[in-house]
Amino acid sequence: MRIAKTFSHMNGEEYLIVHHSALYKEIKHVVANVDAQACKTKVSKEKKMSGQLLYSPTDLNASFKQQFEPLGWKEARYNYYITLNRDLMLASLDLPAADQKKMLESNGEQNPIYSYNQTDFVKEKVAVEVQFGKYAFVAFDLFVKHMLFYSGGVINLGIEILPMKSMQTQMSSGVAYFEGEVYNVMRQGRSSPPVPLLIIGIEP
């Protein structure tokens, strides 16, 4: 596969080039070594594409995982406790989950709710999400997950890898694509979401 286009939000790509150029080379290497045609295994059952071979999100994700993990990119979790008290929330962001719970309980919160978020690949505080899912999953990545990891001090940059529209047309309906998601981010303004991002559009 190849990188067709990139979109840098809040100087995300510039940060990667200056501070983690070796990681950027690894990401480009991974993309180049994914065989898209080998992942064209899904037989469509949709009326308009019935019987056609489509790119399989499951096979694509497995292929990216096979490429990323030997290079030291690992799944990461951010564990936290939920509170609706803004002051307590802000005070707890940088604490380990166990300490968050203790702090919330000592401030009168009874039975704090435990939660977590998981991201595909993290290395040297750079997170990569490979996303071939529906639109809602990408919105969650860009406006919730990357921001949560960033505010929690787990990452300094979030990267989202998406298919270009030309590739998305050869996938099941409803899969998010680079051009549409970049448009959504641009509509929010220069500082929303408040986390440095690099969105990468790929194609076979």
Side-chain angles (χ1 to χ4, degrees), residues 9-180:
H9 174 71
M10 290 183 64
N11 297 316
E13 187 169 29
E14 292 77 5
Y15 173 85
L16 190 61
I17 291 170
V18 172
H19 298 284
H20 296 286
S21 60
L23 295 188
Y24 203 4
K25 288 179 181 178
E26 288 185 0
I27 293 167
K28 292 176 180 178
H29 172 81
V30 166
V31 172
N33 280 277
V34 171
D35 185 349
Q37 289 308 120
C39 298
K40 208 170 189 180
T41 59
K42 184 174 182 178
V43 180
S44 177
K45 296 180 181 179
E46 297 180 31
K47 188 174 181 180
K48 292 183 178 180
M49 298 187 291
S50 181
Q52 291 185 35
L53 273 182
L54 306 176
Y55 293 110
S56 164
T58 301
D59 290 350
L60 285 165
N61 282 322
S63 186
F64 271 95
K65 186 175 182 180
Q66 289 171 1
Q67 296 292 331
F68 267 120
E69 287 192 341
L71 297 174
W73 294 82
K74 302 295 182 183
E75 175 186 301
R77 281 193 177 195
Y78 176 66
N79 306 295
Y80 61 98
Y81 281 85
I82 294 171
T83 175
L84 299 184
N85 183 311
R86 175 174 288 275
D87 292 334
L88 291 179
M89 178 195 69
L90 293 174
S92 69
L93 285 178
D94 294 329
L95 298 176
D99 292 339
Q100 288 185 24
K101 184 179 182 182
K102 290 178 183 177
M103 189 199 74
L104 294 176
E105 289 175 337
S106 68
N107 281 275
E109 297 266 346
Q110 297 183 357
N111 301 315
I113 301 170
Y114 168 78
S115 190
Y116 73 91
N117 265 302
Q118 171 267 331
T119 196
D120 289 340
F121 309 104
V122 175
K123 186 176 180 180
E124 298 177 27
K125 289 198 168 185
V126 174
V128 176
E129 282 288 324
V130 180
Q131 189 58 265
F132 298 105
K134 305 296 185 183
Y135 300 107
F137 292 115
V138 179
F140 183 79
D141 286 350
L142 296 176
F143 291 92
V144 178
K145 186 185 290 187
H146 286 308
M147 188 165 64
L148 185 68
F149 274 76
Y150 180 71
S151 64
V154 180
I155 67 170
N156 293 323
L157 170 69
I159 299 174
E160 197 82 2
I161 297 179
L162 300 170
M164 297 294 292
K165 179 63 177 178
S166 58
M167 180 178 177
Q168 184 256 11
T169 59
Q170 300 177 66
M171 302 181 76
S172 296
S173 60
V175 172
Y177 56 93
F178 174 85
E179 294 91 336

